[in-house]
Amino acid sequence: MDAKVGDKGGCPVMHGGNTEMNNNPTKWWPNALNLDILHQHDARSNPMDQDYNHREAVKSLDFQGVWNDVEKLLTDSQEWWPADWGHYGGLFIRLSWHAAGSYRLGDGRGGAGTGNIRFEPLNSWPDNASLDKARRLLWPVKKKYGNAVSWADLLVLAGTVAYSNMGLKVFGFGFGREDIWGPEIDINWGNDSEILAPTEERVSDLDDANSMYNPLAASHMGLIYVNPEGVDGNPDPAETAKYVRMTFARMAMNDEETAALTVGGHTVGKAHGGLAADHVGPEPAAAGVEAAGFGWADPGFDGNANTEHTSGLEGAWTSNPTKWDNGYLDLLFKYEWVVKKSRAGAWQWEPIDIAEEDKVPDATDPSIKHNPMMTDADMAMKVDPIYREICKRFHKDPAYLADTFARAWFKLTHRDMGPKANYYGPFVPTEDLVWQDPVPAGPADYDVATVKAKIADSSLTTAEMIATAWDSARTYRGSDMRGGANGARIRLAPQKDWVGNEPERLTKVLGILEPITAETGASVADVIVLAGNVGIERAIKAAGHDIAVPFAPGRGDATDEQTDADSFSVLEPYADGFRNWQKEDYSVSPEELMLDRAQLLGLTGAEMTVLVGGLRVLGANYGGSKHGVFTEREGQLTTDFFQTITDMTYKWVPVEEDGTYGLQHRKTGEVKCTATSADLVFGSNSILRAFSEVYAQDDNEAKFVRDFVAAWTKVMNADRFDLA
């Protein structure tokens, strides 16, 4: 027990619980794997009943009622946080945007799909100042509709309703996001030493925006995209354009979508720079309990928008900030703009010699008029030649802008929801979009036993069947629900040519399996998975057990036209610890890359352990490598991997030439097996060793087989949202 004295003094008190986040019990051992990322959001942190199913609950939602009630809130100004111009549209749009805008294409993490903006660190990022207020404004709707509507849905719906109310024909909306109950701990938001640290902390070459550390999609920790004042706070629209292009590309937007989102996002609402930033109270995570989780207190705020501080920039972009119109582009191209400082000391752009009719009514007192303003990112739309050309087209054709923006907004707010099978409600668009990774429904009425028999009678080896099925399924990312075996995209570009998929072996296997699909009426996707199951069942029987591998037919086969090849390139594995392979040497260890893959696959620590130990003895290593194949019974699903790695008869000796290890007999010096660190970590890491010891026990051979089958089936069915 430790005696603790409070920061402000006080009597020491016996306090034995580890109650502060900054007191991590493993901080003294920085090389320890963070296995906690596999066990976040467990049942003990979830307040809902065990039998609660959000997918079922959302079906009972009064969808139109929720929409109508959010719309009513838009003009129901509250004294504790008055609405600018009597309309919360700009605030609600910013809430939705910033909830969704943390998505990054590289690993699929971030985004609005979990409602994570409710928690640290996102709720305390400088870019998200005052969004805690927006969420509180929505509380009456959440309270009314309860479990049927998630916070994640409501936070995104708010902005969509706001745009519709202000005159935009929105593209649609899908319900179905499920809340988490604490912050994700798997997301790397950056290794910056401080919030809003200098750009060079995450960019290796300031002249090359693409040199920013992957997979990050914001130029600073604490921002959604880029610094609105310019790179490192220095106004230079041409330079800012480079970073805008890069950051938006990393969250899956092309130049046209980026321009549309910039224009449409700043067509409504305003920025607030009522006082110097050093006069603003601490963020929610640092504020006292009396702040009630609000944070960002403005000591000088008197209910007037002119005294409110959020970003430090001050002003609106258009003359009618509560209406969807073409005013943003009208002003951008009509006037010359010059750099000025806001009252809060932030760099922004203001027009020269603006006409009185183009000025902006004060957000509190409409009798007062102000100059509009633009950020450095806005000026990038005018200065960058590509963005300028796109915006000129938008300016000439407002309908084209509205449609492009509506589609881009829909993509922004739905990008991490996976395929349309995860969308619910009457506002879901009927149009299939290629970025949704559509997969046609597959046949389910064929004779599974016949297919399995034909596979078993083929010339395919057990290892070939299992490796191909694994490679097809391992692309799944629970972060944004992309990838997986459904669709059989492993036979299409770019996946068929990925080095990690062993193209020569893949071509051979598909050449044998595809005729079976033609003969039986099954999909290629189903037959690939079935082949893996046949291989495992064969290995189970060879080990003396009799356990069937579950199978659910119905996968479909995607076409090239249904596949956005460029967006699938980010799913390419550069390492796969489950098959003991990596493309080249990386600064990150093989076991860390394996851990990352396991987390994206939704595996627990025990599931990762059982899969690795099983795949090794099954001979599923890349290229037939023998690293980690701790058995003389390769091809049988045995516990030999775990028995060997826990056997003190052997010591592990590094092989300096290639970074591998030899398992050397302590007495004879004979090297029994070779291994990588992705193998030996299951004996060296204390937590993983604990799992390994379970499966090494004499009484757990049958349990090992059952657990392996369950974990394998989980991976094969990860993207079967139709089964949920």
Side-chain angles (χ1 to χ4, degrees):
M1 307 274 287
D2 62 332
K4 182 170 180 176
V5 180
D7 294 337
K8 297 181 180 180
C11 296
V13 61
M14 298 305 290
H15 173 68
N18 186 15
T19 53
E20 292 188 2
M21 290 293 291
N22 62 2
N23 190 22
N24 188 316
T26 61
K27 68 180 180 180
W28 299 107
W29 299 276
N31 292 325
L33 288 174
N34 181 18
L35 292 171
D36 288 348
I37 69 172
L38 305 183
H39 306 128
Q40 60 184 342
H41 316 314
D42 70 4
R44 288 179 295 179
S45 66
N46 191 332
M48 308 306 290
D49 294 339
Q50 283 191 330
D51 61 351
Y52 173 76
N53 184 313
H54 185 67
R55 290 177 181 271
E56 291 302 316
V58 76
K59 294 175 183 177
S60 67
L61 181 63
D62 178 1
F63 299 103
Q64 191 63 56
V66 173
W67 184 290
N68 295 342
D69 284 351
V70 171
E71 192 163 34
K72 290 174 186 175
L73 291 179
L74 290 170
T75 52
D76 185 16
S77 185
Q78 300 296 307
E79 184 179 351
W80 56 268
W81 198 252
D84 297 334
W85 305 284
H87 200 291
Y88 286 119
L91 179 63
F92 281 6
I93 287 165
R94 180 167 162 258
L95 173 67
S96 300
W97 190 305
H98 284 225
S102 61
Y103 173 80
R104 66 273 185 110
L105 184 64
D107 61 0
R109 294 184 171 102
T114 62
N116 62 2
I117 200 172
R118 295 182 292 153
F119 307 114
E120 294 77 22
L122 294 178
N123 75 349
S124 294
W125 277 5
D127 226 5
N128 294 334
S130 298
L131 293 181
D132 42 356
K133 283 86 167 176
R135 191 172 75 83
R136 302 302 178 91
L137 290 167
L138 291 168
W139 168 241
V141 177
K142 172 60 177 162
K143 184 174 182 291
K144 176 179 178 180
Y145 292 94
N147 298 337
V149 65
S150 65
W151 268 119
D153 277 343
L154 192 55
L155 297 176
V156 177
L157 178 67
T160 302
V161 172
Y163 270 121
S164 176
N165 177 266
M166 291 188 289
L168 175 72
K169 183 182 179 182
V170 297
F171 188 71
F173 184 84
F175 291 85
R177 302 165 188 82
E178 187 167 2
D179 288 333
I180 56 175
W181 301 98
E184 301 107 326
I185 59 175
D186 61 292
I187 303 180
N188 175 8
W189 294 118
N191 295 321
D192 315 37
S193 57
E194 59 182 318
I195 293 287
L196 303 179
T199 305
E200 60 260 24
E201 292 226 1
R202 50 174 59 191
V203 178
S204 59
D205 181 357
L206 291 178
D207 294 326
D208 181 10
N210 289 311
S211 69
M212 190 171 78
Y213 177 69
N214 269 313
L216 305 179
S219 59
H220 303 265
M221 185 195 298
L223 294 183
I224 300 299
Y225 304 118
V226 300
N227 190 333
E229 298 183 65
V231 180
D232 280 327
N234 301 311
D236 184 344
E239 192 66 17
T240 295
K242 299 176 185 176
Y243 281 83
V244 169
R245 177 167 287 111
M246 180 271 298
T247 57
F248 273 71
R250 289 193 176 188
M251 49 85 66
M253 298 294 171
N254 61 28
D255 282 339
E256 187 177 64
E257 292 166 328
T258 300
L261 286 169
T262 304
V263 173
H266 290 168
T267 292
V268 296
K270 75 179 293 286
H272 301 85
L275 68 165
D278 58 3
H279 291 167
V280 178
E283 67 273 20
V289 295
E290 69 277 7
F294 266 18
W296 314 108
D298 290 0
F301 180 61
D302 59 4
N304 188 312
N306 289 321
T307 60
E308 180 195 333
H309 184 96
T310 297
S311 67
L313 287 86
E314 171 61 31
W317 292 264
T318 71
S319 309
N320 300 292
T322 63
K323 300 293 182 184
W324 175 268
D325 58 22
N326 220 23
Y328 175 98
L329 292 172
D330 289 341
L331 297 182
L332 183 67
F333 290 120
K334 182 177 181 179
Y335 294 105
E336 293 299 317
W337 298 73
V338 63
V339 173
K340 291 189 177 182
K341 283 272 183 110
S342 73
R343 287 176 295 148
W347 288 116
Q348 59 188 50
W349 295 76
E350 294 188 22
I352 301 173
D353 298 329
I354 187 171
E356 189 67 22
E357 64 266 22
D358 287 334
K359 290 186 176 182
V360 184
D362 184 85
T364 302
D365 182 355
S367 67
I368 303 171
K369 295 292 188 72
H370 302 282
N371 281 348
M373 70 91 198
M374 296 280 170
T375 72
D376 218 54
D378 296 308
M379 297 306 299
M381 298 298 110
K382 187 175 184 177
V383 169
D384 180 87
I386 297 173
Y387 287 143
R388 181 183 178 88
E389 183 182 348
I390 295 169
C391 287
K392 282 288 189 180
R393 292 203 303 269
F394 287 157
H395 194 205
K396 292 178 182 177
D397 191 347
Y400 169 51
L401 166 63
D403 182 65
T404 305
F405 174 81
R407 288 170 174 273
W409 174 261
F410 182 80
K411 181 179 178 180
L412 169 73
T413 53
H414 293 75
R415 190 67 180 87
D416 62 343
M417 287 185 68
K420 249 170 62 172
N422 295 327
Y423 293 28
Y424 294 88
F427 313 123
V428 177
T430 56
E431 183 180 343
D432 288 328
L433 306 167
V434 69
W435 59 261
Q436 295 173 320
D437 303 337
V439 176
D445 56 353
Y446 58 89
D447 187 64
V448 173
T450 298
V451 178
K452 290 178 70 175
K454 288 180 178 291
I455 295 170
D457 289 340
S458 73
S459 60
L460 293 175
T461 67
T462 297
E464 288 171 334
M465 296 181 204
I466 293 170
T468 304
W470 177 264
D471 290 353
S472 182
R474 70 176 171 195
T475 52
Y476 179 74
R477 309 192 304 194
S479 53
D480 58 359
M481 292 176 280
R482 299 189 69 208
N486 199 6
R489 285 189 167 93
I490 196 171
R491 77 197 198 287
L492 306 176
Q495 295 192 38
K496 66 182 180 64
D497 301 314
W498 288 346
V499 174
N501 285 342
E502 297 179 277
E504 187 175 341
R505 184 259 307 159
L506 176 61
T507 300
K508 172 192 172 183
V509 173
L510 290 176
I512 293 171
L513 294 182
E514 286 178 340
I516 294 176
T517 71
E519 295 168 11
T520 61
S523 66
V524 179
D526 268 354
V527 173
I528 289 172
V529 173
L530 263 178
N533 289 6
V534 168
I536 290 169
E537 288 178 350
R538 182 185 292 173
I540 291 172
K541 287 181 180 178
H545 303 276
D546 187 14
I547 296 176
V549 180
F551 176 77
R555 295 171 183 81
D557 294 333
T559 64
D560 285 313
E561 293 72 29
Q562 294 170 317
T563 304
D564 182 1
D566 287 342
S567 79
F568 269 93
S569 64
V570 298
L571 272 67
E572 179 179 359
Y574 293 98
D576 183 1
F578 293 90
R579 295 191 61 214
N580 222 352
W581 166 80
Q582 59 182 50
K583 195 172 182 180
E584 55 188 87
D585 290 331
Y586 302 108
S587 58
V588 180
S589 69
E591 54 269 30
E592 289 178 272
L593 294 169
M594 176 174 61
L595 179 61
D596 181 62
R597 174 71 53 187
Q599 196 280 326
L600 290 172
L601 285 169
L603 300 172
T604 66
E607 289 168 337
M608 179 179 72
T609 302
V610 77
L611 280 169
V612 169
L615 289 170
R616 291 292 189 273
V617 298
L618 292 172
N621 276 355
Y622 183 91
S625 162
K626 299 304 177 184
H627 295 319
V629 184
F630 303 153
T631 184
E632 296 178 356
R633 300 180 289 172
E634 185 176 336
Q636 300 181 28
L637 192 56
T638 66
T639 60
D640 289 359
F641 176 89
F642 303 109
Q643 293 185 42
T644 302
I645 208 165
T646 56
D647 190 345
M648 294 305 296
T649 305
Y650 302 97
K651 62 181 179 180
W652 305 337
V653 181
V655 179
E656 295 181 3
E657 294 79 38
D658 62 0
T660 61
Y661 300 81
L663 269 69
Q664 189 179 79
H665 196 284
R666 292 182 184 275
K667 290 184 178 180
T668 67
E670 178 187 359
V671 175
K672 178 184 178 181
C673 311
T674 58
T676 68
S677 58
D679 300 309
L680 298 186
V681 71
F682 291 94
S684 63
N685 178 276
S686 59
I687 299 172
L688 295 179
R689 186 179 182 91
F691 295 140
S692 296
E693 288 170 348
V694 169
Y695 295 118
Q697 292 175 190
D698 293 344
D699 62 347
N700 276 339
E701 287 188 9
K703 172 180 169 57
F704 162 72
V705 175
R706 291 194 305 272
D707 289 359
F708 180 89
V709 168
W712 170 270
T713 305
K714 179 177 179 176
V715 173
M716 295 300 119
N717 289 344
D719 62 345
R720 292 296 305 277
F721 306 110
D722 55 312
L723 301 178

